[in-house]
Amino acid sequence: MKFKQFFAGKFRRIILWVFDCYIFCVAACAYYVTLNLTGTNNAEPGRIFANAAIIIGAVLIARLAFGVYNSVWRYTRTLSYLKLILADVIGTIAAVAVIYIAKLDVGFEIFLILVPINCIASLTSRYCYRLYYKYMHKAPVTENRMLN
């Protein structure tokens, strides 16, 4: 299989996945910086970033399993948004289990902050893109449309 053939038709999905990874990494770094600025950081940085990496991995794998990246942003519907939320919940539960088993726990607040921020940012970005696409591709107003 050639390299170009493997990625043919998957460019949009890859862009969505990379964008979601970026949002997650920004949220994780913001969480870490906030902990340091407020002086509430009792855990070592390696554990915080290990937790963040496990959460990111589990949620993104759950999103792949639920087919979140199968739809293009401009065609998303409510079902796509619900699948994203459900995948985030399932991924978070899986991440909690892995972190508990690996004994890397640094506190439950990382789940209460990191996952909802990422979920809200992902949903907002998809919805804003949809509004932008609709605005840019709206049909011109004609005399017949004005009367109807």
Side-chain angles (χ1 to χ4, degrees), residues 24 33-34 38 41 47 50 68 77-78 80 87 96 105 110 120-121:
F24 244 131
V33 168
T34 304
T38 59
N41 187 7
R47 283 189 147 197
V68 170
R77 302 273 184 238
T78 305
S80 300
V96 168
D105 189 25
I110 192 169
I120 290 168

Side-chain angles (χ1 to χ4, degrees), residues 35-47:
L35 282 179
N36 284 334
L37 289 177
T38 59
T40 58
N41 187 7
N42 298 331
E44 52 195 66
R47 283 189 147 197

Side-chain angles (χ1 to χ4, degrees), residues 80-97:
S80 300
Y81 298 136
L82 291 174
K83 284 195 314 189
L84 188 137
I85 293 169
L86 184 61
D88 282 7
V89 169
I90 299 296
T92 302
I93 292 169
V96 168

Side-chain angles (χ1 to χ4, degrees), residues 89-143:
V89 169
I90 299 296
T92 302
I93 292 169
V96 168
V98 169
I99 288 171
Y100 179 74
I101 291 169
K103 297 183 186 340
L104 290 171
D105 189 25
V106 293
F108 196 72
E109 66 273 355
I110 192 169
F111 299 104
L112 296 176
I113 294 171
L114 192 59
V115 175
I117 286 174
N118 179 59
C119 188
I120 290 168
S122 295
L123 291 170
T124 303
S125 65
R126 283 159 170 77
Y127 188 70
C128 287
Y129 178 81
R130 196 165 168 214
L131 288 176
Y132 173 75
Y133 184 84
K134 197 174 190 179
Y135 174 76
M136 294 303 291
H137 294 90
K138 66 181 176 183
V141 177
T142 61
E143 192 174 314

Side-chain angles (χ1 to χ4, degrees), residues 26-62:
V26 167
C29 290
Y31 172 74
Y32 179 71
V33 168
T34 304
L35 282 179
N36 284 334
L37 289 177
T38 59
T40 58
N41 187 7
N42 298 331
E44 52 195 66
R47 283 189 147 197
I48 292 174
F49 287 114
N51 276 351
I54 292 169
I55 294 168
I56 291 168
V59 169
L60 292 176
I61 288 170

